Amino acid sequence: MTYQNIVSLLGDDADDLLSHRCKKIPNDQIHQPSAKHVDQVFSGSDRSPTVIKNLKKLYNHGRLAKTGYLSILPIDQAIEHTAAYSFYHNPIYFDPENIIKLALEAGCSGVASTLGVLGLTCKKYAEKIPYIVKLNHNELLTYPTKHDQRMFAQVQQAYNMGAVGVGATIYYGSQESNRQIEEVSWAFAKAHELGLFTILWCYPRNEAWKKDGKNYESGGDVTAQAIHLGVTIEADIVKQKMPTQHAAFSELKFSKYNLEMYQKLATSHPIDLVRYQVAHAYMGKISLLNSGGESVGDADLFEAVKAAVINKRGGGTGLIMGRKAFQKPMKDGIKILNAVQDVYLSSEITLA
């Protein structure tokens, strides 16, 4: 997809998204994605040479190789949302090999999935595309329904199959978050000890954050602070949902905030809100991936490209997008993944 195709697809949103400038946190204050990202950020860190080597495998694979940007295919929705609900659109993805084929044929940087999916395919594909084992998951057979990330896999199993990294989710703000923080912190320390990099899904989750028809779980300040907690336990990459409003703390009257911080650090513009998230990821030194979101049918291509533009211009490093790709015929899923990658490959789409 060319730059002009992207402009045409964005339609009425094009000028606002492509001409916006972040004035609260200018782009010269953040660490900007580049081919030298891993060395610049981690060479002076406590990460071992093996962790750095495995990070380079991820950043140097696929269509976005050596750009500093990432395109990761995540498919663990069969556990998170039930398998039939996730795959009834396209039943071929009940077969784990098709998940890997989608990531490979779309030129993704890596594939993140369950122990079962990756373990069953590792001898054939782990040398062909970076494997990232998702260690914990929600499950929907407990009644009444509850949301709690529980460990389904061990770091040693990821290492044994030849994975280069592990991922995990923490539901920050939930009743179970303290236990999840402890479990994931331990797992990430073990992963680094074995030479694997770490990706954290930093998801705020609390029913009390839903008020007057708004879901403040996606508030800019809530999501950003979750990111900051994630980098604190040494996530090498963080994943977060796109922010939808700015001042959740003040609206809900909780946590620590000052109205001046909102005025000084961001506006309500979506690119500014992503820049606010990036700032909380050590000013972009820890790569921020935003969620590709659920599939919305015919609007998926538009929504995916729009999200990629917002993420890139805000200072993020890419999208981690699954449902918009695997809930379609494979050729259509590849088309969407490639369109998103084209945003990051376009030299005309710059940091805001």
Side-chain angles (χ1 to χ4, degrees), residues 12 53 92 104 108 114 123 158 167 185 206 211 230 265 293 315 328:
D12 293 340
K53 178 182 177 182
I92 66 168
L104 274 170
C108 291
T114 65
K123 288 183 179 178
S185 178
N206 194 310
K211 177 183 176 184
L265 295 177
K328 293 177 173 57

Side-chain angles (χ1 to χ4, degrees), residues 8-212:
S8 177
L9 180 64
L10 291 175
D12 293 340
D13 293 331
D15 183 61
D16 179 50
L17 294 178
L18 296 171
S19 64
H20 179 76
R21 288 289 178 265
C22 294
K23 297 179 180 178
K24 303 291 186 176
I25 304 176
N27 62 40
D28 61 0
Q29 292 185 5
I30 66 171
H31 174 81
Q32 302 185 9
S34 75
K36 299 179 180 179
H37 168 78
V38 175
D39 284 328
Q40 288 175 340
V41 172
F42 294 106
S43 62
S45 75
D46 61 358
R47 276 43 159 205
S48 70
T50 307
V51 171
I52 291 172
K53 178 182 177 182
N54 281 328
L55 278 166
K56 287 182 176 179
K57 286 182 180 179
L58 183 71
Y59 282 88
N60 292 338
H61 186 84
R63 293 187 71 223
L64 299 185
K66 300 181 180 179
T67 64
Y69 293 106
L70 296 171
S71 170
I72 296 176
L73 176 72
I75 302 185
D76 64 342
Q77 285 83 356
I79 308 300
E80 294 280 346
H81 303 148
T82 81
Y85 180 79
S86 298
F87 296 148
Y88 77 89
H89 299 277
N90 203 4
I92 66 168
Y93 292 112
F94 277 107
D95 182 342
E97 188 166 7
N98 286 322
I99 292 173
I100 312 305
K101 286 180 177 179
L102 174 61
L104 274 170
E105 294 185 28
C108 291
S109 310
V111 58
S113 195
T114 65
L115 174 68
V117 165
L118 299 181
L120 197 63
T121 58
C122 62
K123 288 183 179 178
K124 187 172 182 179
Y125 292 106
E127 292 297 321
K128 297 179 180 179
I129 186 169
Y131 268 31
I132 303 153
V133 178
K134 185 73 165 34
L135 298 173
N136 65 359
H137 309 281
N138 189 35
E139 58 86 18
L140 293 180
L141 276 182
T142 303
Y143 186 86
T145 297
K146 65 179 181 180
H147 298 281
D148 182 15
Q149 291 285 324
R150 304 301 302 226
M151 286 292 177
F152 275 58
Q154 300 176 35
V155 175
Q156 187 69 48
Q157 292 173 293
Y159 174 82
N160 290 346
M161 76 167 67
V164 294
V166 297
T169 297
I170 294 176
Y171 286 152
Y172 287 107
S174 69
Q175 291 184 348
E176 300 81 13
S177 64
N178 287 346
R179 191 205 76 244
Q180 292 168 11
I181 290 169
E182 293 170 0
E183 289 175 349
V184 174
S185 178
W186 182 91
F188 279 11
K190 181 65 175 179
H192 281 156
E193 181 183 323
L194 292 176
L196 308 182
F197 63 76
T198 59
I199 303 179
L200 187 64
W201 280 244
C202 305
Y203 284 174
R205 183 67 61 87
N206 194 310
E207 286 299 315
W209 294 343
K210 297 174 182 179
K211 177 183 176 184
D212 299 331

Side-chain angles (χ1 to χ4, degrees), residues 154-288:
Q154 300 176 35
V155 175
Q156 187 69 48
Q157 292 173 293
Y159 174 82
N160 290 346
M161 76 167 67
V164 294
V166 297
T169 297
I170 294 176
Y171 286 152
Y172 287 107
S174 69
Q175 291 184 348
E176 300 81 13
S177 64
N178 287 346
R179 191 205 76 244
Q180 292 168 11
I181 290 169
E182 293 170 0
E183 289 175 349
V184 174
S185 178
W186 182 91
F188 279 11
K190 181 65 175 179
H192 281 156
E193 181 183 323
L194 292 176
L196 308 182
F197 63 76
T198 59
I199 303 179
L200 187 64
W201 280 244
C202 305
Y203 284 174
R205 183 67 61 87
N206 194 310
E207 286 299 315
W209 294 343
K210 297 174 182 179
K211 177 183 176 184
D212 299 331
K214 290 185 178 181
N215 185 352
Y216 290 100
E217 289 177 344
S218 58
D221 48 4
V222 174
T223 56
Q225 184 60 22
I227 287 168
H228 203 64
L229 295 176
V231 298
T232 297
I233 62 171
E234 291 202 334
D236 300 315
I237 298 165
V238 289
K239 189 226 179 178
Q240 186 56 275
K241 295 181 180 180
M242 281 282 183
T244 57
Q245 63 272 328
H246 191 14
F249 290 163
S250 64
E251 289 292 330
L252 297 172
K253 302 294 187 292
F254 91 110
S255 195
K256 298 290 289 186
Y257 68 91
N258 185 303
L259 294 180
E260 190 176 1
M261 79 187 198
Y262 299 118
Q263 298 166 0
K264 284 194 170 184
L265 295 177
T267 72
S268 59
H269 194 284
I271 294 174
D272 278 349
L273 294 179
V274 168
R275 180 66 53 86
Y276 189 82
Q277 290 181 334
V278 168
H280 282 70
Y282 295 153
M283 277 298 190
K285 288 188 173 181
I286 300 301
S287 293
L288 168 68

Side-chain angles (χ1 to χ4, degrees), residues 290-312:
N290 282 128
S291 172
E294 65 181 332
S295 177
V296 290
D298 293 341
D300 277 350
L301 180 61
F302 166 76
E303 293 292 344
V305 168
K306 179 180 177 181
V309 170
I310 292 170
N311 171 270
K312 182 180 182 182

